[in-house]
Amino acid sequence: MTGNNNRGVLFKEHSDYQFIDAKVNSNTLVIGGGIAGIQASLEVANAGYQVYLVEKSGTIGGHMAMFDKTFPTLDCAACILTPKMVEVGQNPNIKLMTLSEVKEVRGAPGNFKVKIEMKTRRVDIATCIGCGICTEKCPARAPSEFDAGISQRKAIYIPFPQAVPNKYLVDKDSCTYFKTGKCRVCEKVCPAGSVKLDDKDSEIEIEVGNIIVATGFKPFDPARAEQFGYGRYKNVLAPLQFERLINASGPTAGQIKMQTQDKKGKWVYSTDGNEPESVAIIHCVGSRDHNYNKHCSRVCCMYSLKFAHLIKEKLPNAEVFEYYIDMRAFGKGYEEFYQRIKEEGVHIIRGRTAKVEEAGNRLKIRSEDILAGKLIEQNVDMVILSAGLEPRENAKNIAGMLDVSSDETGWLTEVNDKSAPFVSNRPGIYLAGTCQGPKDIPDSVAQASAAAAVVLQSIGSGKIKKYVADTTATSL
Amino acid sequence: MNDIRIEPKLKEKLEAFGLADNNLCFNCGNCTAVCGLTERDLTFPRKGIRHLQLGMSEKVNQSVEPWLCYYCGDCSKTCPREANPAEQMMSLRRYLTSVYDWTGLSFKFYTSKLWELGALLFVGAIVLGLFGLYHATSAEPIIWDLRDGYVHLNSFAPVMYVHYADWVMAGILSFFLLSNLFNMYLTIMRSDKSLKIPLHLYFTKIFSIPLHFATQMRFKKCDNKIGFWFMHLFLMSGYGFMFILVLVLLPWFQIDQGINWTTYPGYYATFALLYGSIYCIIGRLRKKDEVHRYTHPSDWIFLIMLFLTTLTGIMVHVFRYYLLMPAATYYTYAIHLAIAVPMLVVEVPFSKWAHLAFRPFAMYFADIKKAALAIKK
């Protein structure tokens, strides 16, 4: 293995990369507008180069936008994220394409030709003044994606108040007009004439030199683990639902409430509900489990401890029980956070919960306290299932389209897990965030910046960095 | 406090008893919590698996918990590590059977197919030998024709001789089984010095034994496994009826001519044994239910012997009553006994069938221990 690095110096045999001359297009494509995609886009754009940021949903922000606080510092997630989102929206070097998906990638490293399908918003971003009359008058409702299904939104809506772009969009699936052929109320009431229900999807082709993949993860659907009763019993929550429940902009204005019946008799989370006196948090739901996912999802222990803290903060008299298998507080400040939560009086029990059953108005959970060797049967008011992280359903398709490798689970694989943990096996394509494997916010951000650094290196040198797969490392 | 002795090779030792990879378990406790039979102070399967991982052979030997499991398989189905706790419990039961057995034969039978088959053949040969010996020394001739229109089975195997031989066999069987039971008592109840057990509990809890023996009511507590419980009870009732017919009522059961009141329970027992053994054989071939997924050689041998015993029993009946074939009746009868007797002698005290005694006694011991713990508190 010999060759020249970009300064013309013969590189050593143990280097794991080489530079290939290419006419590198200075535009960069970033796929995915979560925290990793946002970070990568800003790094490249701030260096003065054009970025295309393609986001599937109607707003950037990703999962982080749904979080209430971040561990271990308990900073408000939105306070960290939303300024970055605004920056993306305002940066002239970033061409943001929401409701868009990459359909095809052709060409060679340095000169990719990318076909992007842009679904119509049915609202003209340029003229919409954001007055909100359309939403007010819209008769159709659907579960809010942003509130993880614990509140309702209209068919024409802004995903959340800080969305970027902060413009309305029409959800075809829940819209009365698209279901019945009648309605069009939003079009009639719009003072700017911006609602265009008959707009069609479009497709464009762009040319880029490098691609950063930041397509993120999918939360494990706890309904798949039937033994925990999610979707069947009241007050059994998925983690993102609890994030929204405890968030000041959520359906209970941040108060921790149990489900209550609304006027129509439907069970909803609202400020009228009762406060839970006891909450159980069950770790490793869908993770470290051969029936679902073998991997550890890395973040669940910490967000579970965060939940325990937030409950104790808002309801000091509530009893909180954490049922865990192994406590993984591996990051900087995480172990200290764990000890702090213990001191706050949270009951932390080693043992996996096997089932959740309904017991009158309460929930009965059954676990073994491993350290005491005793069986525990306990009634609580609320159960939070700490569901893990999974690759997106279409992760394999994304890998196939980009011609990068992915592992058996579906995580995109890095070319070298030590020296190039954010580089795909295909030159010119880099990985950032949870598309490569479960990780927390600091790691996602660090990886995004690293990917941006290599992209900028490529643009600056006019060369493509080609990593040589590590043949000495044994496969996991 | 006694020293705890560690037997590092314990896991390897149990592999011959059907234990697969014991290290897969990461001790999350799911199996214990999902189990409908586990109780606050008597938790399983995880504890037993842990003791195996650590090589704590004394704890394993003293444990009563493996016998409390009826193998519904929920733990294996939901185990996040596919560590198969239910089969680990089954392996422990096999192993414990060999621990209680002071002769060492159980260990040989479980760990070597050759030993088990050899023992079956050996006892079978003795049975055939006894037939030969009887006819070589007896003055009574075998009636080979259909004199008076019926098969004279009692001229080939006079019922009273068979009856006495049954008692001798039952005596041998009981001796081994009861001595192994006593050994079980010593292992479970006498070796654990930490718990003082008041003597009166042995009397007040004695009803546990017939109760669990006859009803297997704990099986019903296994979630959604009423079908298996019924099947097991049905099979066992067939076995029970047949046992009484052969051991107590043989002079009425084995008559040469006509039918009498013993015939109907005989039919019931035959049907139960046939249905039960075929059900289990098909189940183990299909491997659909958790309880039938893993089969140790001793399970196959037991099931096949049970099936063959039933089948040859039916054949004797058909040859004798319906086809009126004396020679076929006699030979099948000899083969029938040459299968049934070794099955009972080998399986009841030393192998799979020993659970008929160990299980109810384990529940008895468990009840005593629980009561003693309650008194202590």
Side-chain angles (χ1 to χ4, degrees):
Chain A
M1 208 198 296
T2 52
N4 289 307
N5 72 6
N6 59 344
R7 281 168 295 171
V9 181
L10 196 74
F11 71 80
K12 299 286 185 298
E13 205 172 279
H14 44 258
S15 275
D16 60 353
Y17 58 83
Q18 58 194 26
F19 284 94
I20 302 164
D21 283 320
K23 264 203 152 161
V24 177
N25 187 317
S26 67
N27 297 340
T28 303
L29 169 68
V30 176
I31 312 174
I35 180 61
I38 289 171
Q39 179 74 13
S41 301
L42 288 173
E43 298 282 25
V44 176
N46 286 336
Y49 298 105
Q50 173 77 40
V51 173
Y52 295 96
L53 175 54
V54 175
E55 163 60 39
K56 194 164 74 171
S57 77
T59 174
I60 56 168
H63 288 109
M64 187 179 170
M66 300 163 80
F67 300 167
D68 180 49
K69 298 284 187 324
T70 57
F71 58 78
T73 50
L74 299 166
D75 293 316
C76 139
C79 310
I80 304 164
L81 181 68
T82 48
K84 282 181 188 281
M85 289 165 63
V86 171
E87 215 182 320
V88 167
Q90 293 177 345
N91 194 313
N93 285 335
I94 299 177
K95 169 101 175 85
L96 175 59
M97 289 180 267
T98 50
L99 293 169
S100 301
E101 278 184 71
V102 176
K103 286 288 157 193
E104 191 186 288
V105 175
R106 287 176 291 121
N111 292 282
F112 291 113
K113 288 183 176 55
V114 183
K115 208 178 267 177
I116 295 164
E117 184 189 55
M118 302 171 76
K119 294 224 169 61
T120 174
R121 261 186 122 77
R122 299 193 165 81
V123 173
D124 182 4
I125 289 186
T127 57
C128 169
I129 54 171
C131 64
I133 290 179
C134 52
T135 294
E136 204 178 290
K137 300 290 181 195
C138 176
R141 284 168 181 275
S144 158
E145 290 84 359
F146 182 70
D147 278 342
I150 62 167
S151 76
Q152 301 273 309
R153 59 153 173 84
K154 294 291 182 69
I156 183 163
Y157 66 108
I158 291 185
F160 58 100
Q162 296 82 19
V164 173
N166 205 307
K167 305 286 178 178
Y168 288 80
L169 66 102
V170 177
D171 170 32
K172 200 177 155 188
D173 294 336
S174 52
C175 172
T176 312
Y177 169 64
F178 286 101
K179 275 187 191 159
T180 65
K182 283 193 200 120
C183 184
R184 305 191 86 128
V185 167
C186 48
E187 264 184 351
K188 284 170 211 149
V189 298
C190 179
S194 305
V195 182
K196 298 192 161 58
L197 289 175
D198 298 324
D199 262 9
K200 294 277 175 283
D201 299 346
S202 56
E203 205 174 77
I204 62 161
E205 191 166 284
I206 57 169
E207 292 186 359
V208 297
N210 292 280
I211 298 173
I212 295 175
V213 190
T215 46
F217 68 95
K218 181 181 77 147
F220 175 79
D221 174 11
R224 281 172 62 198
E226 282 176 24
Q227 63 269 36
F228 300 123
Y230 176 80
R232 286 185 290 143
Y233 306 145
K234 293 189 289 291
N235 303 310
V236 179
L237 288 144
L240 285 171
Q241 294 182 321
F242 188 73
E243 295 276 6
R244 297 315 303 154
L245 188 70
I246 203 157
N247 189 279
S249 70
T252 57
Q255 300 172 46
I256 306 171
K257 298 285 192 182
M258 294 192 287
Q259 277 181 298
T260 180
Q261 280 176 300
D262 66 6
K263 282 171 208 148
K264 289 176 192 160
K266 264 181 78 179
W267 289 94
V268 294
Y269 290 97
S270 83
T271 45
D272 300 335
N274 294 323
E275 288 169 350
E277 284 169 16
S278 53
V279 183
I281 304 172
I282 300 170
H283 289 225
C284 292
V285 173
S287 304
R288 306 182 71 204
D289 187 333
H290 285 227
N291 299 307
Y292 310 105
N293 293 303
K294 291 181 186 177
H295 62 260
C296 163
S297 292
R298 265 174 73 120
V299 294
C300 324
C301 281
M302 292 310 295
Y303 77 59
S304 300
L305 292 172
K306 175 188 79 179
F307 286 166
H309 169 85
L310 295 175
I311 297 165
K312 277 284 183 192
E313 189 179 66
K314 296 202 173 178
L315 305 171
N317 294 324
E319 298 290 353
V320 183
F321 303 88
E322 297 256 359
Y323 285 96
Y324 73 100
I325 305 177
D326 294 295
M327 191 61 82
R328 296 192 165 165
F330 59 93
K332 184 176 167 183
Y334 292 9
E335 174 63 21
E336 291 81 347
F337 185 69
Y338 173 30
Q339 298 308 330
R340 171 181 170 185
I341 302 308
K342 275 195 201 165
E343 282 162 22
E344 288 174 354
V346 174
H347 307 283
I348 298 183
I349 301 152
R350 184 165 193 273
R352 186 182 199 261
T353 299
K355 4 177 178 180
V356 177
E357 286 163 342
E358 226 168 15
N361 281 327
R362 308 188 78 197
L363 296 156
K364 186 174 103 178
I365 62 174
R366 226 176 122 93
S367 309
E368 187 192 356
D369 182 343
I370 304 288
L371 301 180
K374 302 278 182 209
L375 180 75
I376 297 182
E377 280 188 316
Q378 181 192 25
N379 286 343
V380 294
D381 293 326
M382 183 180 274
V383 169
I384 305 169
L385 303 174
S386 295
L389 276 52
E390 283 183 335
R392 290 205 178 267
E393 306 92 324
N394 61 349
K396 295 263 180 199
N397 299 345
I398 292 171
M401 182 186 68
L402 297 169
D403 197 17
V404 299
S405 61
S406 60
D407 65 18
E408 55 174 0
T409 315
W411 305 113
L412 303 184
T413 39
E414 61 286 345
V415 70
N416 185 313
D417 67 322
K418 299 291 184 300
S419 67
F422 53 89
V423 179
S424 83
N425 62 316
R426 190 173 181 201
I429 300 185
Y430 304 94
L431 313 172
T434 50
C435 66
Q436 181 248 350
K439 52 180 69 70
D440 56 14
I441 295 165
D443 285 359
S444 295
V445 169
Q447 208 183 28
S449 292
V454 182
V455 167
L456 292 173
Q457 204 177 55
S458 164
I459 299 169
S461 67
K463 291 183 167 65
I464 290 290
K465 195 176 193 178
K466 184 174 187 233
Y467 283 82
V468 179
D470 185 1
T471 49
T472 57
T474 48
S475 146
L476 295 174
Chain B
M1 193 77 185
N2 288 341
D3 291 341
I4 293 175
R5 282 174 192 276
I6 296 293
E7 191 181 336
K9 297 271 180 207
L10 185 62
K11 279 182 286 195
E12 280 87 338
K13 200 159 130 190
L14 260 98
E15 275 166 19
F17 291 85
L19 185 74
D21 194 349
N22 167 264
N23 288 330
L24 283 173
C25 170
F26 64 14
N27 282 278
C28 68
N30 181 77
C31 48
T32 305
V34 85
C35 177
L37 297 174
T38 210
E39 291 166 47
R40 210 186 122 74
D41 295 312
L42 277 169
T43 62
F44 59 94
R46 188 199 61 83
K47 202 167 73 178
I49 296 170
R50 186 67 180 150
H51 288 153
L52 279 181
Q53 286 181 332
L54 296 174
M56 296 170 81
S57 47
E58 272 178 33
K59 288 273 184 198
V60 167
N61 293 353
Q62 291 165 12
S63 66
V64 65
E65 289 86 348
W67 297 108
L68 305 183
C69 159
Y70 270 108
Y71 207 145
C72 74
D74 280 355
C75 51
S76 289
K77 232 182 282 170
T78 55
C79 174
R81 297 284 300 159
E82 290 175 352
N84 227 324
E87 192 56 25
Q88 299 212 26
M89 285 289 103
M90 188 70 223
S91 310
L92 274 172
R93 285 195 286 277
R94 294 186 193 115
Y95 174 69
L96 288 176
T97 304
S98 82
V99 168
Y100 305 150
D101 176 38
W102 56 272
T103 64
L105 284 171
S106 178
F107 186 88
K108 291 283 186 201
F109 294 160
Y110 268 125
T111 54
S112 155
K113 266 175 279 187
L114 274 182
W115 261 89
E116 188 162 11
L117 289 171
L120 291 168
L121 284 173
F122 176 70
V123 181
I126 290 178
V127 172
L128 294 178
L130 285 174
F131 273 107
L133 190 69
Y134 169 73
H135 288 295
T137 55
S138 167
E140 298 286 326
I142 304 174
I143 301 169
W144 291 101
D145 55 13
L146 276 177
R147 201 169 302 168
D148 306 326
Y150 60 87
V151 175
H152 294 258
L153 178 59
N154 281 310
S155 76
F156 174 75
V159 64
M160 287 325 282
Y161 284 104
V162 179
H163 197 37
Y164 296 141
D166 275 348
W167 285 356
V168 172
M169 179 196 71
I172 297 169
L173 243 152
S174 309
F175 168 72
F176 285 117
L177 190 63
L178 289 174
S179 56
N180 285 348
L181 264 177
F182 184 68
N183 210 4
M184 177 194 190
Y185 156 76
L186 293 179
T187 318
I188 292 177
M189 302 304 277
R190 302 297 291 180
S191 51
D192 184 5
K193 302 276 187 290
S194 63
L195 186 64
K196 278 257 178 297
I197 293 164
L199 192 65
H200 70 268
L201 289 177
Y202 283 102
F203 297 99
T204 52
K205 297 288 173 194
I206 194 107
F207 294 107
S208 287
I209 303 171
L211 179 72
H212 290 299
F213 181 82
T215 65
Q216 294 136 38
M217 53 191 265
R218 281 172 56 89
F219 209 152
K220 276 198 298 179
K221 283 214 253 166
C222 289
D223 296 342
N224 313 318
K225 293 295 178 298
I226 296 281
F228 284 121
W229 165 73
F230 181 76
M231 197 61 239
H232 190 257
L233 199 63
F234 182 52
L235 178 64
M236 200 198 110
S237 69
Y239 170 67
F241 271 113
M242 198 50 95
F243 190 79
I244 294 168
L245 286 173
V246 168
L247 217 66
V248 185
L249 304 172
L250 198 70
W252 290 272
F253 190 51
Q254 187 182 312
I255 48 163
D256 278 343
Q257 208 181 356
I259 54 171
N260 63 15
W261 54 275
T262 60
T263 309
Y264 301 105
Y267 279 146
Y268 168 81
T270 306
F271 178 70
L273 289 170
L274 191 69
Y275 186 78
S277 55
I278 291 177
Y279 177 88
C280 295
I281 288 171
I282 291 176
R284 288 196 184 272
L285 287 172
R286 285 172 67 198
K287 301 182 181 186
K288 233 181 84 190
D289 308 307
E290 209 57 54
V291 62
H292 289 143
R293 198 169 296 233
Y294 301 93
T295 308
H296 188 263
S298 60
D299 299 324
W300 275 131
I301 291 174
F302 168 67
L303 274 179
I304 291 168
M305 294 297 281
L306 187 62
F307 173 72
L308 288 179
T309 303
T310 316
L311 187 71
T312 50
I314 295 169
M315 282 164 69
V316 170
H317 191 71
V318 170
F319 285 139
R320 188 171 151 213
Y321 278 117
Y322 299 103
L323 300 178
L324 299 171
M325 294 162 71
T329 307
Y330 303 160
Y331 293 135
T332 333
Y333 185 87
I335 294 168
H336 176 62
L337 287 199
I339 295 170
V341 173
M343 173 181 73
L344 290 169
V345 171
V346 170
E347 296 287 341
V348 173
F350 305 116
S351 193
K352 189 176 174 77
W353 232 344
H355 76 270
L356 73 90
F358 295 153
R359 215 189 259 285
F361 269 85
M363 285 162 194
Y364 168 56
F365 295 149
D367 284 347
I368 293 171
K369 278 198 167 184
K370 272 188 287 183
L373 266 175
I375 291 169
K376 196 178 162 189
K377 278 178 192 160

